[in-house]
Amino acid sequence: MTQTFGARLRGIHAATIVPMTADFAVDEAQLSAHLAAVACTPGINGLLVNGHAGENFVLSLVEKLRVVELARRHAPEDCLIVSGVNHESSLEAAREAAALERAGADGLLVFPPNSWALGHANDCVIEHHRRIRDATAAPLMLYAAPVGAGAMAYVPSLLERLVVDPRFVAIKEGSWEVATYEQNSRLIRRLRPDFVVLGSGDEHLLTSYLVGSAGSQVSLACVVPELVVSLWDAAEAGDWPRARAAHEKLYPLAVAIYRNAPGGRATARLKACLKLLGRLSCDAVRPPQPSATPNELRALEQALRITGVL
């Protein structure tokens, strides 16, 4: 029997990066190799492409479509491909979503526009999601932004309005704060018991699995996929000592990538990790982000050694 989209979301899905050349063009050869290597790792059930780690806010639509096409080509046939949709304009977001679906995405993750961090009317959020919904037929996912991202993080009353739309079937819960994660998870389970909640705060995966999660879409899994899978497998089995041991290896790397100031540096640090591991020849990030600094590189190298992969 064919699994539903929600059932296929269970487990670990890696949010991938987009390798660039030194002059900031998409390096298709390295991108293809990256997608294949991550997707073929045992226990990786799918990919999230064109997410924040994939620099979706600085890629053109043509580039985003190419990322989906290459993911479809190089990932195993049963690998679930979800593409992010991120645009300031609701009209352009709807066009982008329809094009990404045609390119081969199995589902679409709707990111809140970055401008919403400064504030928005709740009806604007509903309208943005409605435009994307009406332009597509694929399963749709919500994104719960970090609580530190200002008004991009949906308050419970707004989240409730979004969740009751039957076209939306899952959420990448990236609140990055345990109390909010549990609050949102409980609200969603009350409204839609079938709604898939993916605990996707890379620094507190263990906690989200303890609270309750169907899996994760995380960029940490594009650097150390085996370790993230081992954490999930242990949690699924209820083997919390083994899960805690995996968490102890992952935690310093998660902190080095996602927490340390300055903020918004995760993609540069992910690329630096892949270069340190010999999986990427160039760690260029598209402007305005610079590549990893010497201090960042030292912290990342130390964390990679703790994980045992370097």
Side-chain angles (χ1 to χ4, degrees):
M1 186 173 66
T2 303
Q3 284 189 310
T4 65
F5 176 80
R8 293 178 69 194
L9 275 175
R10 191 164 190 86
I12 300 302
H13 299 249
T16 51
I17 56 98
V18 175
M20 304 278 180
T21 62
D23 59 356
F24 310 114
V26 173
D27 187 329
E28 288 200 5
Q30 294 239 310
L31 174 58
S32 298
H34 173 65
L35 292 166
V38 175
C40 292
T41 301
I44 294 295
N45 295 337
L47 301 178
L48 169 61
V49 300
N50 296 322
H52 288 148
E55 297 177 77
N56 60 9
F57 43 90
V58 293
L59 296 185
S60 69
L61 177 54
V62 170
E63 290 170 325
K64 293 176 188 178
L65 294 174
R66 188 63 175 150
V67 171
V68 172
E69 291 166 357
L70 290 173
R72 192 83 278 164
R73 179 185 304 174
H74 294 287
E77 188 176 350
D78 62 348
C79 181
L80 189 73
I81 306 296
V82 175
S83 176
V85 176
N86 192 351
H87 207 288
E88 296 299 315
S89 162
S90 298
L91 297 177
E92 290 303 319
R95 293 188 188 103
E96 177 178 290
L100 291 165
E101 181 180 359
R102 290 193 298 270
D106 296 307
L108 302 166
L109 170 59
V110 182
F111 286 98
N114 292 333
S115 61
W116 289 0
L118 300 175
H120 53 73
N122 286 351
D123 285 347
C124 291
V125 179
I126 300 299
E127 176 70 5
H128 187 78
H129 287 77
R130 184 187 70 78
R131 292 274 180 178
I132 294 169
R133 178 199 68 193
D134 292 349
T136 59
L140 300 174
M141 298 180 61
L142 301 170
Y143 177 70
V147 294
M152 288 173 72
Y154 304 137
V155 297
S157 59
L158 177 55
L159 182 60
E160 184 169 341
R161 292 176 66 187
L162 292 166
V163 166
V164 295
D165 187 328
R167 278 292 309 287
F168 288 87
V169 298
I171 187 168
K172 176 177 164 67
E173 218 304 337
S175 291
W176 226 273
E177 197 274 326
V178 173
T180 303
Y181 172 82
E182 182 162 3
Q183 170 187 265
N184 289 347
S185 180
R186 287 175 177 271
L187 180 151
I188 291 166
R189 285 201 302 269
R190 174 174 58 81
L191 295 170
R192 295 265 307 272
D194 60 324
F195 208 88
V196 177
V197 178
L198 300 176
S200 294
D202 301 70
E203 291 182 71
H204 58 84
L205 293 178
L206 175 61
T207 310
S208 68
Y209 297 163
L210 279 163
V211 171
S213 172
S216 296
Q217 286 177 326
V218 283
S219 53
L220 195 59
C222 85
V223 176
V224 285
E226 295 89 353
L227 273 175
V228 178
V229 168
S230 71
L231 170 60
W232 169 253
D233 286 348
E236 271 280 84
D239 188 343
W240 298 113
R242 183 160 60 95
R244 180 58 185 264
H247 174 73
E248 287 299 316
K249 286 186 175 182
L250 284 167
Y251 185 74
L253 183 59
V255 169
I257 293 173
Y258 303 101
R259 183 188 304 177
N260 294 344
R265 296 286 291 146
T267 298
R269 292 166 178 166
L270 289 164
K271 287 186 171 184
C273 285
L274 291 168
K275 187 177 180 182
L276 286 167
L277 292 169
R279 301 177 196 161
L280 204 60
S281 59
C282 176
D283 62 357
V285 189
R286 192 165 280 182
Q289 283 286 354
S291 296
T293 65
N295 284 341
E296 288 175 319
L297 288 171
R298 281 191 290 271
L300 293 167
E301 183 174 357
Q302 181 180 12
L304 286 168
R305 292 191 185 283
I306 292 172
T307 68
V309 297
L310 185 64

